[in-house]
Amino acid sequence: MVEPVLSLNDVTLALDGNAGRVEILHGISLDVAKGETLGLIGPSGSGKSSLLMLMGGLERATGGTITGLGFDLSGMNEDALARFRRQHMGVVFQSFHLIPTMTALENVATPLELAGATDAFDRAQAELQAVGLAHRVDHYPAQMSGGEQQRVALARAAAPRPDILLADEPTGNLDGANGEAIIELLFGLRDKHGATLVLVTHASELAARCDRVIRLSDGRISGDDALREAAE
Ligand SMILES: Nc1ncnc2c1ncn2[C@@H]1O[C@H](COP(=O)(O)OP(=O)(O)O)[C@@H](O)[C@H]1O
Ligand SMILES: [Mg+2]
């Protein structure tokens, strides 16, 4: 078998809150192949966002191991993780995490500049155009609707052509036409650039386009349809 792009082995996550320790994910084991599109579904609070954060090295597992492109993420320090993400990953957060003091154009250009692109602003302009925001390049996040901010966040994550794109509810704030454009952008990353996609979604039309859908319930995998077609 080809080396998986992401590999989770018996991963657990527990967080200490003021009400004590909360067990969030229990024994998650999962391999994602190169070019695969994985949908993550499940009820609110089931751990979808937490699992995505672990895959991105943005949260540390309490137990188990996570490898990305063959590197052990649990063994990396914060600097190494940040470098790994910069070189290989795009992340779209549920709450966007745009930089409030930067315009849309600056938000999208920043990771390109960090990656050493000399034409970062031209490319950022093109990426924003691709998500239908050519008319919003000079707007700050606070001057944009939720759906517009979400499209900026997607443009920013997609611009460096990441090997792995992790997106939390990427069509959550979009209407039909914009949602369709975003789905095209996401699958274009896979089809044209071989990206591996992990998409948390409630949208059945997005889940239906994924190669494989995993359902989480109470922090556990309760369904994995990798064998769906074989079983039918
Ligand atoms: N920082 C935190 N401290 C304690 N509990 C948390 C924290 N973040 C999330 N949780 C809890 O973890 C569970 C899973 O949350 P989350 O991953 O956001 O679920 P989902 O994205 O599926 O809605 C929820 O019960 C949530 O309340
Ligand atoms: Mg969530």
Side-chain angles (χ1 to χ4, degrees):
M1 192 191 143
V2 189
E3 174 92 355
V5 164
L6 279 169
S7 183
L8 284 75
N9 186 20
D10 203 19
V11 167
T12 58
L13 176 66
L15 292 174
D16 292 312
N18 35 14
R21 174 158 268 229
V22 193
E23 306 280 340
I24 295 174
L25 295 170
H26 313 265
I28 304 275
S29 295
L30 172 67
D31 281 348
V32 189
K34 177 168 166 46
E36 186 170 38
T37 300
L38 177 70
L40 281 180
I41 63 172
S44 174
S46 57
K48 305 181 297 296
S49 295
S50 302
L51 183 57
L52 207 68
M53 293 300 102
L54 286 175
M55 289 176 169
L58 294 150
E59 189 81 75
R60 284 198 185 267
T62 315
T65 55
I66 303 178
T67 60
L69 298 164
F71 296 98
D72 178 7
L73 300 189
S74 20
M76 289 186 194
N77 64 25
E78 298 303 321
D79 284 350
L81 281 170
R83 211 174 317 120
F84 179 80
R85 272 195 302 275
R86 201 153 66 224
Q87 288 169 354
H88 302 293
M89 271 193 185
V91 185
V92 183
F93 297 91
Q94 198 162 11
S95 51
F96 321 133
H97 290 200
L98 296 176
I99 297 171
T101 53
M102 289 187 178
T103 64
L105 188 68
E106 290 163 346
N107 265 284
V108 178
T110 296
L112 295 169
E113 286 193 302
L114 287 172
T118 51
D119 55 350
F121 280 82
D122 289 342
R123 281 174 59 188
Q125 176 84 34
E127 293 295 327
L128 283 165
Q129 188 159 355
V131 296
L133 287 177
H135 59 308
R136 290 285 183 273
V137 289
D138 294 327
H139 285 230
Y140 289 90
Q143 301 170 321
M144 289 183 280
S145 71
E148 288 171 340
Q149 291 179 55
Q150 185 160 40
R151 284 186 278 157
V152 175
L154 272 153
R156 176 177 66 178
R161 305 289 178 248
D163 297 312
I164 303 168
L165 184 90
L166 308 176
D168 204 341
E169 311 262 12
T171 58
N173 294 273
L174 304 172
D175 55 30
N178 287 322
E180 191 50 45
I182 290 310
I183 292 175
E184 292 310 319
L185 179 145
L186 291 170
F187 285 85
L189 276 180
R190 180 194 63 180
D191 297 339
K192 292 189 216 131
H193 306 286
T196 302
L197 311 178
V198 182
L199 311 173
V200 172
T201 187
H202 282 123
S204 49
E205 63 269 39
L206 182 52
R209 293 209 28 195
C210 292
D211 301 319
R212 175 180 174 197
V213 176
I214 282 185
R215 174 182 294 277
L216 285 184
S217 306
D218 292 330
R220 290 185 171 81
I221 294 178
S222 60
D224 181 343
D225 71 359
L227 303 173
R228 174 180 53 184
E229 282 163 28
E232 269 169 4

